[in-house]
Amino acid sequence: MKTPRITVVGSFNTDLMVRTARLPVAGETILGGPFRTGPGGKGANQAVAAARLGASVRMVVKLGLDYFGDQAYENLAKEGVDVAYVLRTDATHTGAAFILVDEQGENLIVVASGANELLSPEDVDAASAAIRDADVVLVQLEVPLETVERTAQLAHEAGVRVVLNPAPGRRLPLALLRLVDVLTPNETEARIICGAGVETGIERQEMARRLRDRGAQTIVMTLGAEGALLANAGGIERISGFSTEAVDTTGAGDSFNGALAVALAEGRALEEAVAFANAAASLQVTRVGTAPAMPYRLEVEHRLLDR
């Protein structure tokens, strides 16, 4: 099997994480600990996830000229991600994410985007060779929307499959959705994109149909421990998840998306690719952290065999 080629266009954030017995309510101060820092950001997490699963990964990202940026560059290189398209700027700080995680593994996250906001369509144009040469291009929404749109346009024109993880959730233009081969929202993000608002009665299948009507060819809606809902021209089906005891759900979606991109780049059928991604995510949530908690290939293969 040839080595899958993945190009990730997205964000890096230094994760600043505190564990707490429970998540605070508005206006409340609580004590927590321990505190730890580590590499994160949806784009970088997904790049590391794909690299650990055996892909050849390039990342287009912008970092500040600061300590966190230096650490980010070193970490990506250490994880085997090609850093030829890692850009630096002195105009602002490297992105940072402030994360609280409770004893059940649930989390609250606030992101200070910094240099991520400066990743431009022109930067993407300069990296067009990496996009055209990929088997799969993977993007998220922690960089400017016009940058995501330009990435999808270049990949689509080159016949490269586009996987868009629409996180953080927001309404998306139809022109972008029509360039997306695989859209991977969670339930909350799906509700936002398809315009369901607070319609609590709308079913997952109906949200998936609405998203396909807006132009995305395939919807893979992540459902946590329940697995994922797959919707395409062939119909709608749920791909079961894996029973596991979650320690920290931060980064589960990133593990899923990195693994999905790898499996698709290897030519696996959609159902098999989603099962592979479910297995990866189920391993990631048993560990604390984001990028450092991403599983390796052998672990995922064993997880699939042990089902």
Side-chain angles (χ1 to χ4, degrees), residues 67-214:
Y67 173 76
F68 285 156
D70 294 342
Q71 292 295 104
Y73 188 95
E74 292 173 10
N75 182 75
L76 289 169
K78 181 186 71 175
E79 292 286 356
V81 176
D82 186 336
V83 294
Y85 297 96
V86 174
L87 306 171
R88 306 294 296 270
T89 178
D90 61 0
T92 187
H93 59 85
T94 298
F98 303 86
I99 304 170
L100 300 180
V101 181
D102 70 14
E103 290 179 345
Q104 286 70 50
E106 295 302 317
N107 61 71
L108 289 175
I109 304 173
V110 177
V111 174
S113 296
N116 295 314
E117 294 182 336
L118 301 184
L119 188 67
S120 68
E122 292 74 22
D123 294 327
V124 172
D125 286 339
S128 60
I131 292 170
R132 292 194 301 268
D133 188 51
D135 296 310
V136 170
V137 167
L138 181 56
V139 284
Q140 317 78 31
L141 298 178
E142 286 187 334
V143 296
L145 187 60
E146 59 266 27
T147 302
V148 174
E149 292 175 310
R150 182 58 177 159
T151 301
Q153 180 184 19
L154 287 175
H156 182 77
E157 289 172 354
V160 176
R161 180 177 273 175
V162 177
V163 177
L164 171 59
N165 175 218
R170 58 175 294 175
R171 297 298 296 272
L172 295 175
L174 296 181
L176 172 59
L177 290 172
R178 290 170 183 147
L179 298 173
V180 173
D181 296 288
V182 183
L183 186 72
T184 62
N186 62 24
E187 283 190 79
T188 299
E189 293 153 0
R191 190 175 300 279
I192 293 169
I193 300 164
C194 73
V198 294
E199 291 179 51
T200 55
I202 185 172
E203 296 183 352
R204 294 164 172 171
Q205 290 84 352
E206 176 59 24
M207 285 195 288
R209 279 191 286 268
R210 290 190 190 185
L211 292 175
R212 288 203 71 244
D213 287 345
R214 281 162 170 73

